[in-house]
Amino acid sequence: MPFDGMVVSAIAHELQQKILHAKIEKIYQPESDEINILMRCFGKKYKLLLSASSNHPRIHFTEIDKTNPQSPPMFCMLMRKYLVGGKIVAIQQKDFERIIMIDIESHDELGYSTIKQLIIEIMGKHSNIILIDKSHNKILDSIKRISGDINRYREILPGRNYIFPPTHDKKNPLHIVFEEFISLINNATSATPIYKGIYTTLQGISPLCAREICYHAKVNSDTPISNLCEEDYKTIWSSLKSLLAHTLSGTFSPNIIVSKNDHQVLDFYTTIIHLYKPIYTFLFFDSISDVLEQYYLKRDVSDRLKQKSTDLRKFVTHTINKLYKKYQKLQEEWITAEQSQKYRIYGELLTANLHSIKKGDSEIEVINFYDEHGRTICIPLDIQLTPAQNAQKYFKKYTKAKNALRELQRQLQETKEEIHYFENLLHTIENAAYLEDIEEIRSELVEEGYLRKRKTTSSQKKKVQSKPLSFISSDGFNILVGKNNKQNDMLTLKIAAKKDLWFHTKDIPGSHVVIVSNNKPIPDQTILEAAEIAAFYSKAKQSSNVPVDYTEVKNVKKPSSAKPGMVIYENQKTLYITPRHDITTILDKNKSKSI
C-alpha cells in the first residue's frame, strides 16, 4: 500500500478543491483511533474521515455511517469544543511528507478569533491526529498521547510544543535540482540498488514509486548505484520530474490495481503504475477519496472484526479441541464396555457348571456352548467367593457395563452434536462481515451458558438483531442467507413459509439458505443459484463437489433440546456444487437491477 507523498498530495489537492472555507458542523469518534468531521461548504455536505489506525491510517471523504459510542471520548469532546462552528481557512501538505495540516478559524470564550491547526500524520504505527493552538504552537491534545518514556525527542502531550517528525535527512523532491539529486544518490552505499537510493533520500517517495521511476526511465531498479552512468542519472531525473509534474499541476488518475483473473484488490495509486500493466488491471475513479473508500472498506472492517473476535475465536477453538479429546476418550471407553458380553457368557457358563466348581478354585475350564466349534474356555475365579457368588459377580459386571454402554452412547451423541455446533460457530466467526455479527455470536454463547455475561451500564441500549443477507436470483426470486445460528433459526423457523425451499450443506457447517417462493414454482436455475450460495457460505467454500441438501421448509424441524442453528430434515434432494466465488457479486447485481 503506497500511502506516500504522491497520495497525500492528491488528498490535499482534493481537500483544497472541496472544503476550503467549509464550516464544521459535527464531530464524532466512532473508533478509538478514528475521527469523523461533518462540514458544509457552498451548500454541499461532506464527511471527512481521519484515521490513525496502526494498520490503515488515512484521510479521505467518506459516505459510510458508523455507530458512535453513547459517551463521546475525551479527544472528541475537545475537538467539538474548539472546532465545531469553525471555518477551514487553509489546507496544506508538509513538504512532500505524509502529513496534512488543516487550519480552522474559530472564536474563543471572549469572542476573539483564533486559529487551531489539525495535523494528520499518516505514518504506519506512528500515525496520529493532533490538535494544536497554532499561535503558540502548543499541543491541545491528540488521539494518541506519546509520553517521554516512549519518545524522548518528540512528546505528544497537552501543553508541549509541537515538533514535526524527523525527516532522517531526506530532501523534498519538489525543491531540488539535478546536481543535488546526483549528490544525494551518491551519498548512499555504492552497492545499494538505485530504487532504494531514491526512496531513502527523497521525502514522500515509496519503494513502489521508486521502482516506477526506474521502469519509466528504462533502468533496472535493482542496478547498484556504482553501476550507473551519467545518462542513467539523466533519464531517472527526467522520469522523477515527470511523475512529480502530476503533483504540481494537480492532475491525478486515481486507480485501484486488481488481478486480471479473479479481480482481487491488490493496491492503489494516484497515477498508472506502468510496471504493473502487463500483469494487472486498473480500475479508475473520479477522486482519490473514492479509491481509498473502496480500498480500505473491506480491509479496515476485516481487521477490526479480527480484533473484536480474537477472544471468541480462541475460546471456540479451545472448546473444539477439548471436545475432540473427550470424544476420543469416550470411544475408548466404549470399546472397553463392548467387551461386557463376555461377562454375561462367563456368568451363564459358571451357572451351568456350578456342580463342577469347588470353593477355593482360582479358575475353571469349561466347554463354551456359545462357541460353534465347542471349544473350551478358561474362566478366572475369586477364591474368596462361592461358585454361585462368582457367577453373580460376572452378571453384575455385565449389567454395569451394559448400562455404561447406554450412557456412553448418549454422551457420544451429545459430544458429536456439540462438536458440530462449535465448528459451525467457528465458521460463522470466520465469515462474519459486521461487528454486530460478532456481538450476536457472543450473546448466543452467553445465553447457552458457555460465557459469562459482560457488565453493561444501564445507559446502553438494547441492540437490534441484524437481518439475514438477501440476494435476487436471475429469475427474480428472493434468496435469504442466515449469518449466524440465531439468524439461521429465525430464518428457517419464523421468516420462511412452509412452501419455501430450504438449503444446507450436507454434514458440513454452513448457513441456512431459503428461497422465498411466494407460492410460485421455483425454476431450476434459481435452485442451482441457491445451492451455490449455500456452498459458498459453508466451511467447504474452497472445496469442489460439495453436497447441498434442499427440501421444503415444512420438512425442517428443530428438536426441543437442540442448540441454536441445529435442525433435522427429511424428504431432501442433494445437489453437488463447486462453489463459485463470484456468485454473490452476480446476484447483488440482480438486486440492483430490481431496485
Side-chain angles (χ1 to χ4, degrees), residues 358-404:
K358 296 178 182 178
K359 187 175 182 180
D361 287 347
S362 60
E363 61 180 29
I364 185 172
E365 186 173 356
V366 298
I367 296 173
N368 184 3
F369 45 77
Y370 290 100
D371 186 84
E372 58 183 11
H373 301 292
R375 288 173 290 202
T376 62
I377 185 171
C378 188
I379 303 174
L381 299 172
D382 187 338
I383 61 175
Q384 301 296 325
L385 302 178
T386 65
Q389 287 173 334
N390 269 294
Q392 287 302 315
K393 176 185 174 183
Y394 279 118
F395 282 129
K396 286 180 181 178
K397 288 183 74 173
Y398 164 68
T399 302
K400 185 177 180 181
K402 187 172 66 172
N403 292 336

Side-chain angles (χ1 to χ4, degrees), residues 177-192:
V177 294
F178 178 58
E179 291 75 14
E180 191 175 0
F181 170 70
I182 295 176
S183 176
L184 287 169
I185 297 297
N186 286 333
N187 283 337
T189 308
S190 60
T192 302

Side-chain angles (χ1 to χ4, degrees), residues 70-81:
Q70 292 289 322
S71 301
M74 291 299 296
F75 184 62
C76 179
M77 296 289 286
L78 185 84
M79 293 267 287
R80 289 176 180 178
K81 175 184 176 181

Side-chain angles (χ1 to χ4, degrees), residues 517-578:
S517 66
N518 292 321
N519 293 319
K520 297 178 183 177
I522 301 176
D524 290 343
Q525 181 60 31
T526 294
I527 291 174
L528 177 62
E529 289 169 353
E532 288 175 334
I533 288 176
F536 178 77
Y537 284 101
S538 77
K539 191 177 180 181
K541 67 184 293 183
Q542 303 295 340
S543 306
S544 59
N545 291 324
V546 178
V548 178
D549 288 340
Y550 70 98
T551 185
E552 289 187 340
V553 170
K554 67 180 181 181
N555 297 322
V556 183
K557 310 294 180 186
K558 186 175 183 67
S560 58
S561 60
K563 293 186 180 297
M566 303 294 108
V567 294
I568 56 175
Y569 54 91
E570 57 187 6
N571 299 331
Q572 72 272 16
K573 296 179 181 178
T574 305
L575 291 172
Y576 289 86
I577 300 295
T578 297

